[in-house]
Amino acid sequence: MRLLILGGTGDARALAARLGEDGRHDIVVSLAGAVARPEVYGARTRIGGFGGVEGLSAYLAENAVGAVIDATHPFAQAMTANAVAACARMQVPLLRLDRPQWRPGAGDDWREVADLTQAVAALPEGARPFLAIGRKDIGVFALRRDLDCLMRMIDPPAPDQPLPPGRLVLGRPPANADAECVAFRDHGVTHVVTKNSGGPWGYAKIEAARRLGLPVIVASRPPQVAVETVADTQAVLDWIARLDR
Ligand code: NAP
């Protein structure tokens, strides 16, 4: 059976690796093309949008896709909605892999907000926030000319992208909190702003904020369309095994 994994996340990489080891299915990972140098997936990869529900429906038929696993990021709403619509139309089984949200632990000072617009409003005058929210959403902070931001992105923003005042660092998140602590101290960070992405990738900033006693402004996940959902790779493998039977 050919399986299409909608990727762009550590979850998708982990799933592709597990299915690759297993070797019983033909795996295709789909990426949006959001970053110039995507991480290696160890599976056949296609890059770029499908062209909405129509395009994805056509892709599923033309490529005889037997099942789709949506392992896109919890904030990637459009792709999930398109997958739900296209899979229903083409009667292709669909499973959503949605990692558990982060929860505040002992010593965390969290301010949970509905979205990034509210995160902007939650920052006090003259704050020095750390923003690791991606290129696509940085513009909502640009009107706050009083801020001095430390921004981290994988690829540089477009030349015409409005940015808030501050310093831009290019790169992926470090795996450990030590490196985050050094960067936060160096810039004099006063607040950490994050999406509630969940998972181990990017958690170092939350741990660093805890160690340094910094408040964390956490944007809640957007609502998702209703779809069968599991929380980990093993549950996806179990679902595939049931389809195989
Ligand atoms: P989005 O708003 O849900 O999707 C926008 C459009 O990008 C979709 O309509 C689709 O274009 C295309 N697309 C998205 N994911 C795709 C995939 N895996 N394969 C092929 N096309 C895809 O997504 P987004 O928030 O821009 O995120 C883009 C990618 O970055 C996603 O794959 C996501 O997993 C990853 N990512 C997102 C975030 C985040 O905070 N949003 C964080 C980390 C990683 P068509 O309609 O033309 O098919």
Side-chain angles (χ1 to χ4, degrees):
M1 176 166 58
R2 177 167 297 150
L3 300 173
L4 174 66
I5 301 174
L6 303 174
T9 57
D11 290 312
R13 280 199 308 284
L15 177 63
R18 285 284 295 275
L19 286 167
E21 281 163 22
D22 180 59
R24 286 185 300 129
H25 300 94
D26 177 18
I27 312 297
V28 182
V29 177
S30 175
L31 303 176
V35 296
R37 280 184 297 280
E39 300 204 66
V40 175
Y41 274 74
R44 187 147 58 93
T45 304
R46 66 160 300 283
I47 297 183
F50 295 97
V53 176
E54 291 297 327
L56 179 55
S57 301
Y59 180 93
L60 296 175
E62 283 160 18
N63 293 279
V65 172
V68 177
I69 298 108
D70 171 16
T72 56
H73 191 270
F75 283 71
Q77 278 177 289
M79 189 67 249
T80 295
N82 289 352
V84 169
C87 287
R89 182 191 289 184
M90 306 310 289
Q91 300 196 329
V92 173
L94 168 68
L95 185 69
R96 166 110 185 112
L97 171 55
D98 213 7
R99 49 175 105 142
Q101 310 201 36
W102 290 323
R103 306 254 176 232
D108 282 337
D109 175 7
W110 274 31
R111 319 222 169 136
E112 290 179 81
V113 293
D115 53 29
L116 288 174
T117 305
Q118 284 197 15
V120 178
L123 287 167
E125 181 77 23
R128 300 170 70 86
F130 172 66
L131 307 176
I133 53 165
R135 284 189 297 173
K136 194 173 145 183
D137 297 310
I138 196 73
V140 293
F141 290 86
L143 287 176
R144 287 287 304 270
R145 307 314 296 172
D146 60 299
L147 301 176
D148 182 3
C149 304
L150 176 62
M151 296 163 269
R152 185 172 61 218
M153 300 174 193
I154 296 173
D155 289 320
D160 59 351
Q161 168 67 60
L163 296 176
R167 192 152 62 93
L168 178 63
V169 176
L170 297 180
R172 296 181 192 277
N176 71 71
D178 295 343
E180 296 289 47
C181 285
V182 170
F184 292 0
R185 281 205 194 94
D186 191 40
H187 187 77
V189 164
T190 57
H191 297 74
V192 171
V193 178
T194 183
K195 298 174 179 177
N196 196 334
S197 300
W201 313 277
Y203 188 74
K205 59 181 173 282
I206 308 270
E207 203 181 317
R210 183 182 308 141
R211 282 196 208 163
L212 299 177
L214 298 175
V216 185
I217 298 171
V218 183
S220 301
R221 292 183 177 184
Q224 288 284 8
V225 284
V227 54
E228 185 179 356
T229 301
V230 295
D232 58 44
T233 303
Q234 185 55 51
V236 178
L237 300 180
D238 294 345
W239 180 81
I240 293 168
R242 285 197 295 278
L243 285 184
D244 286 337
R245 287 198 291 273

